[in-house]
Amino acid sequence: YRDFQKRVKHYAQTGIFLAIASKNNPESVDEVFEKHDAMVLIKDDISVFEVHWESKADSIKRIADKLNIGLDALVFIDDSPKEIGEVQERLPEVSCLLVPEDIEELPWLLSRTTFFDRLSLSEEDAIRAQSARAETERTALKETVSEADFLAALDLRVDVFTAQEQHLGRITQLINKTNQFNLTTRRKTAEDVKEIFGSQNHILLGMKVADKFGEYGLVGVCILELKDKTASIETLLMSCRVLGRKAETAFLCGVAQAAQQASAKSLTGEYIPTPKNNLVKNLYKDHGFTATKDLWAYDLSEEMIAPNYVTLKLEIND
């Protein structure tokens, strides 16, 4: 059990969220963390606690809500086939792992999966656990005020910028793992991204988001293809961690301004539906784009306005 804790603690240090869904009394769980001499994990390693006697499936849904991530980003580990079965039935998006009968196999349970494989560790990965604690503070604020007051109180800051070489690893990561807020879901290798980065006919944009509680880091990517005074959005995606903040509106405003600076007269975009990206089905329509035969188009002679509670900063290289 200690070896298993050491392994998940390592994952936490690389930006993986740890959460507890336990059918138990909260004080009993607190006592284990505070007094059990076999504990490797400490309470600060855990981003969300759901400790009560309700369904673990309900706990998992609340964990996803509190972390502002999709259910398909969660891996549930339990030693009860009954609990695993209920979660698989009610939350099929969640990946489930049953603790092996031979407990000596437990430390290797996660390493024998590909759930947490990654090409590299980005700055955003390193600060994710800290970001989770900030998300808890945001949730607490949201529960006490109206939606409008919550957004106004966030002091949301959105930076849209031309990507530099140091951003390419994180951009590649986002392109290949983002599903919900992804207009086209076109995957790309690191070499593909590097080629686009060096292309004269493309603009590779990143978006960083921060608010008064902390930084989200680089959480948005847009690839613009330039041709005949038209800037075409080949890729537009955003991490689900910033959903519900209207950061997407500020991002589109930044994208439109970048297209204008490149002398484009029209901005076009495409929505390719997948089983997971219905969330962005009406994104272009909701932001003033006009439907054409195959695309959505925006006349860049019209100014796109960012929400008044967002500070938008644009850094575009020539």
Side-chain angles (χ1 to χ4, degrees), residues 266-283:
S266 177
L267 179 66
T268 63
E270 181 182 9
Y271 168 65
I272 300 176
T274 73
K276 295 184 178 181
N277 74 351
N278 191 61
L279 174 73
V280 293
K281 178 180 180 180
N282 295 318
L283 181 77

PDB file of all heavy atoms in Angstrom, residues 266-283:
ATOM      1  N   SER A 266     -11.552  38.421 -44.012  1.00  0.00           N
ATOM      2  CA  SER A 266     -12.587  37.487 -43.564  1.00  0.00           C
ATOM      3  C   SER A 266     -11.951  36.415 -42.696  1.00  0.00           C
ATOM      4  O   SER A 266     -10.808  35.994 -42.928  1.00  0.00           O
ATOM      5  CB  SER A 266     -13.275  36.841 -44.768  1.00  0.00           C
ATOM      6  OG  SER A 266     -14.233  35.884 -44.364  1.00  0.00           O
ATOM      7  N   LEU A 267     -12.708  35.985 -41.680  1.00  0.00           N
ATOM      8  CA  LEU A 267     -12.282  34.907 -40.790  1.00  0.00           C
ATOM      9  C   LEU A 267     -13.276  33.766 -40.945  1.00  0.00           C
ATOM     10  O   LEU A 267     -14.486  33.969 -40.784  1.00  0.00           O
ATOM     11  CB  LEU A 267     -12.255  35.399 -39.344  1.00  0.00           C
ATOM     12  CG  LEU A 267     -11.858  34.389 -38.257  1.00  0.00           C
ATOM     13  CD1 LEU A 267     -10.410  33.953 -38.420  1.00  0.00           C
ATOM     14  CD2 LEU A 267     -12.080  35.001 -36.863  1.00  0.00           C
ATOM     15  N   THR A 268     -12.796  32.581 -41.279  1.00  0.00           N
ATOM     16  CA  THR A 268     -13.693  31.449 -41.475  1.00  0.00           C
ATOM     17  C   THR A 268     -13.347  30.330 -40.497  1.00  0.00           C
ATOM     18  O   THR A 268     -12.200  30.188 -40.054  1.00  0.00           O
ATOM     19  CB  THR A 268     -13.632  30.893 -42.908  1.00  0.00           C
ATOM     20  OG1 THR A 268     -12.308  30.383 -43.171  1.00  0.00           O
ATOM     21  CG2 THR A 268     -13.976  31.970 -43.920  1.00  0.00           C
ATOM     22  N   GLY A 269     -14.344  29.540 -40.163  1.00  0.00           N
ATOM     23  CA  GLY A 269     -14.147  28.420 -39.256  1.00  0.00           C
ATOM     24  C   GLY A 269     -15.036  27.255 -39.629  1.00  0.00           C
ATOM     25  O   GLY A 269     -16.039  27.412 -40.326  1.00  0.00           O
ATOM     26  N   GLU A 270     -14.656  26.088 -39.146  1.00  0.00           N
ATOM     27  CA  GLU A 270     -15.366  24.848 -39.462  1.00  0.00           C
ATOM     28  C   GLU A 270     -15.644  24.095 -38.172  1.00  0.00           C
ATOM     29  O   GLU A 270     -14.814  24.063 -37.261  1.00  0.00           O
ATOM     30  CB  GLU A 270     -14.486  23.996 -40.385  1.00  0.00           C
ATOM     31  CG  GLU A 270     -15.083  22.688 -40.821  1.00  0.00           C
ATOM     32  CD  GLU A 270     -14.128  21.890 -41.705  1.00  0.00           C
ATOM     33  OE1 GLU A 270     -12.952  22.281 -41.823  1.00  0.00           O
ATOM     34  OE2 GLU A 270     -14.571  20.869 -42.263  1.00  0.00           O
ATOM     35  N   TYR A 271     -16.828  23.510 -38.090  1.00  0.00           N
ATOM     36  CA  TYR A 271     -17.164  22.634 -36.972  1.00  0.00           C
ATOM     37  C   TYR A 271     -17.326  21.223 -37.501  1.00  0.00           C
ATOM     38  O   TYR A 271     -18.162  20.955 -38.369  1.00  0.00           O
ATOM     39  CB  TYR A 271     -18.458  23.091 -36.292  1.00  0.00           C
ATOM     40  CG  TYR A 271     -19.017  22.076 -35.317  1.00  0.00           C
ATOM     41  CD1 TYR A 271     -18.306  21.732 -34.164  1.00  0.00           C
ATOM     42  CD2 TYR A 271     -20.245  21.445 -35.553  1.00  0.00           C
ATOM     43  CE1 TYR A 271     -18.809  20.791 -33.275  1.00  0.00           C
ATOM     44  CE2 TYR A 271     -20.755  20.513 -34.657  1.00  0.00           C
ATOM     45  CZ  TYR A 271     -20.034  20.185 -33.528  1.00  0.00           C
ATOM     46  OH  TYR A 271     -20.533  19.253 -32.646  1.00  0.00           O
ATOM     47  N   ILE A 272     -16.496  20.306 -37.012  1.00  0.00           N
ATOM     48  CA  ILE A 272     -16.585  18.897 -37.386  1.00  0.00           C
ATOM     49  C   ILE A 272     -17.090  18.129 -36.163  1.00  0.00           C
ATOM     50  O   ILE A 272     -16.373  17.992 -35.169  1.00  0.00           O
ATOM     51  CB  ILE A 272     -15.219  18.340 -37.829  1.00  0.00           C
ATOM     52  CG1 ILE A 272     -14.692  19.121 -39.049  1.00  0.00           C
ATOM     53  CG2 ILE A 272     -15.321  16.852 -38.163  1.00  0.00           C
ATOM     54  CD1 ILE A 272     -13.302  18.711 -39.487  1.00  0.00           C
ATOM     55  N   PRO A 273     -18.334  17.664 -36.176  1.00  0.00           N
ATOM     56  CA  PRO A 273     -18.897  17.018 -34.981  1.00  0.00           C
ATOM     57  C   PRO A 273     -18.226  15.691 -34.657  1.00  0.00           C
ATOM     58  O   PRO A 273     -17.837  14.929 -35.553  1.00  0.00           O
ATOM     59  CB  PRO A 273     -20.374  16.812 -35.354  1.00  0.00           C
ATOM     60  CG  PRO A 273     -20.411  16.830 -36.845  1.00  0.00           C
ATOM     61  CD  PRO A 273     -19.296  17.724 -37.294  1.00  0.00           C
ATOM     62  N   THR A 274     -18.073  15.439 -33.357  1.00  0.00           N
ATOM     63  CA  THR A 274     -17.583  14.160 -32.842  1.00  0.00           C
ATOM     64  C   THR A 274     -18.510  13.757 -31.696  1.00  0.00           C
ATOM     65  O   THR A 274     -19.348  14.554 -31.255  1.00  0.00           O
ATOM     66  CB  THR A 274     -16.139  14.274 -32.316  1.00  0.00           C
ATOM     67  OG1 THR A 274     -16.145  14.987 -31.076  1.00  0.00           O
ATOM     68  CG2 THR A 274     -15.231  14.982 -33.316  1.00  0.00           C
ATOM     69  N   PRO A 275     -18.370  12.549 -31.184  1.00  0.00           N
ATOM     70  CA  PRO A 275     -19.219  12.150 -30.042  1.00  0.00           C
ATOM     71  C   PRO A 275     -19.009  12.996 -28.788  1.00  0.00           C
ATOM     72  O   PRO A 275     -19.849  12.974 -27.884  1.00  0.00           O
ATOM     73  CB  PRO A 275     -18.802  10.691 -29.795  1.00  0.00           C
ATOM     74  CG  PRO A 275     -18.283  10.207 -31.107  1.00  0.00           C
ATOM     75  CD  PRO A 275     -17.599  11.395 -31.717  1.00  0.00           C
ATOM     76  N   LYS A 276     -17.906  13.769 -28.731  1.00  0.00           N
ATOM     77  CA  LYS A 276     -17.576  14.475 -27.495  1.00  0.00           C
ATOM     78  C   LYS A 276     -17.615  16.000 -27.596  1.00  0.00           C
ATOM     79  O   LYS A 276     -17.534  16.671 -26.572  1.00  0.00           O
ATOM     80  CB  LYS A 276     -16.182  14.055 -27.010  1.00  0.00           C
ATOM     81  CG  LYS A 276     -16.088  12.598 -26.609  1.00  0.00           C
ATOM     82  CD  LYS A 276     -14.717  12.254 -26.058  1.00  0.00           C
ATOM     83  CE  LYS A 276     -14.650  10.800 -25.612  1.00  0.00           C
ATOM     84  NZ  LYS A 276     -13.315  10.452 -25.056  1.00  0.00           N
ATOM     85  N   ASN A 277     -17.725  16.572 -28.790  1.00  0.00           N
ATOM     86  CA  ASN A 277     -17.578  18.039 -28.897  1.00  0.00           C
ATOM     87  C   ASN A 277     -18.871  18.778 -29.205  1.00  0.00           C
ATOM     88  O   ASN A 277     -18.852  19.885 -29.755  1.00  0.00           O
ATOM     89  CB  ASN A 277     -16.502  18.406 -29.929  1.00  0.00           C
ATOM     90  CG  ASN A 277     -16.945  18.195 -31.372  1.00  0.00           C
ATOM     91  OD1 ASN A 277     -17.994  17.612 -31.644  1.00  0.00           O
ATOM     92  ND2 ASN A 277     -16.133  18.667 -32.309  1.00  0.00           N
ATOM     93  N   ASN A 278     -20.005  18.192 -28.827  1.00  0.00           N
ATOM     94  CA  ASN A 278     -21.281  18.873 -29.041  1.00  0.00           C
ATOM     95  C   ASN A 278     -21.353  20.211 -28.312  1.00  0.00           C
ATOM     96  O   ASN A 278     -22.113  21.107 -28.678  1.00  0.00           O
ATOM     97  CB  ASN A 278     -22.435  17.977 -28.590  1.00  0.00           C
ATOM     98  CG  ASN A 278     -23.785  18.500 -29.018  1.00  0.00           C
ATOM     99  OD1 ASN A 278     -24.070  18.642 -30.204  1.00  0.00           O
ATOM    100  ND2 ASN A 278     -24.630  18.810 -28.049  1.00  0.00           N
ATOM    101  N   LEU A 279     -20.530  20.360 -27.295  1.00  0.00           N
ATOM    102  CA  LEU A 279     -20.461  21.592 -26.512  1.00  0.00           C
ATOM    103  C   LEU A 279     -20.215  22.818 -27.383  1.00  0.00           C
ATOM    104  O   LEU A 279     -20.718  23.908 -27.089  1.00  0.00           O
ATOM    105  CB  LEU A 279     -19.339  21.461 -25.475  1.00  0.00           C
ATOM    106  CG  LEU A 279     -18.994  22.669 -24.628  1.00  0.00           C
ATOM    107  CD1 LEU A 279     -20.097  22.904 -23.598  1.00  0.00           C
ATOM    108  CD2 LEU A 279     -17.649  22.474 -23.927  1.00  0.00           C
ATOM    109  N   VAL A 280     -19.450  22.662 -28.480  1.00  0.00           N
ATOM    110  CA  VAL A 280     -19.069  23.815 -29.308  1.00  0.00           C
ATOM    111  C   VAL A 280     -19.836  23.856 -30.627  1.00  0.00           C
ATOM    112  O   VAL A 280     -19.455  24.600 -31.542  1.00  0.00           O
ATOM    113  CB  VAL A 280     -17.550  23.817 -29.572  1.00  0.00           C
ATOM    114  CG1 VAL A 280     -16.793  24.064 -28.293  1.00  0.00           C
ATOM    115  CG2 VAL A 280     -17.091  22.506 -30.215  1.00  0.00           C
ATOM    116  N   LYS A 281     -20.908  23.123 -30.700  1.00  0.00           N
ATOM    117  CA  LYS A 281     -21.697  23.061 -31.940  1.00  0.00           C
ATOM    118  C   LYS A 281     -22.115  24.440 -32.421  1.00  0.00           C
ATOM    119  O   LYS A 281     -22.094  24.731 -33.624  1.00  0.00           O
ATOM    120  CB  LYS A 281     -22.924  22.174 -31.716  1.00  0.00           C
ATOM    121  CG  LYS A 281     -23.847  22.058 -32.909  1.00  0.00           C
ATOM    122  CD  LYS A 281     -25.030  21.151 -32.588  1.00  0.00           C
ATOM    123  CE  LYS A 281     -25.963  21.028 -33.774  1.00  0.00           C
ATOM    124  NZ  LYS A 281     -27.127  20.133 -33.465  1.00  0.00           N
ATOM    125  N   ASN A 282     -22.524  25.314 -31.506  1.00  0.00           N
ATOM    126  CA  ASN A 282     -23.046  26.626 -31.887  1.00  0.00           C
ATOM    127  C   ASN A 282     -22.064  27.767 -31.599  1.00  0.00           C
ATOM    128  O   ASN A 282     -22.471  28.931 -31.546  1.00  0.00           O
ATOM    129  CB  ASN A 282     -24.359  26.891 -31.145  1.00  0.00           C
ATOM    130  CG  ASN A 282     -25.458  25.931 -31.560  1.00  0.00           C
ATOM    131  OD1 ASN A 282     -25.622  25.622 -32.737  1.00  0.00           O
ATOM    132  ND2 ASN A 282     -26.200  25.437 -30.581  1.00  0.00           N
ATOM    133  N   LEU A 283     -20.788  27.442 -31.400  1.00  0.00           N
ATOM    134  CA  LEU A 283     -19.820  28.470 -31.024  1.00  0.00           C
ATOM    135  C   LEU A 283     -19.755  29.597 -32.049  1.00  0.00           C
ATOM    136  O   LEU A 283     -19.837  30.781 -31.693  1.00  0.00           O
ATOM    137  CB  LEU A 283     -18.429  27.849 -30.844  1.00  0.00           C
ATOM    138  CG  LEU A 283     -17.360  28.859 -30.425  1.00  0.00           C
ATOM    139  CD1 LEU A 283     -17.479  29.191 -28.953  1.00  0.00           C
ATOM    140  CD2 LEU A 283     -15.963  28.345 -30.749  1.00  0.00           C
TER     141      LEU A 283
END
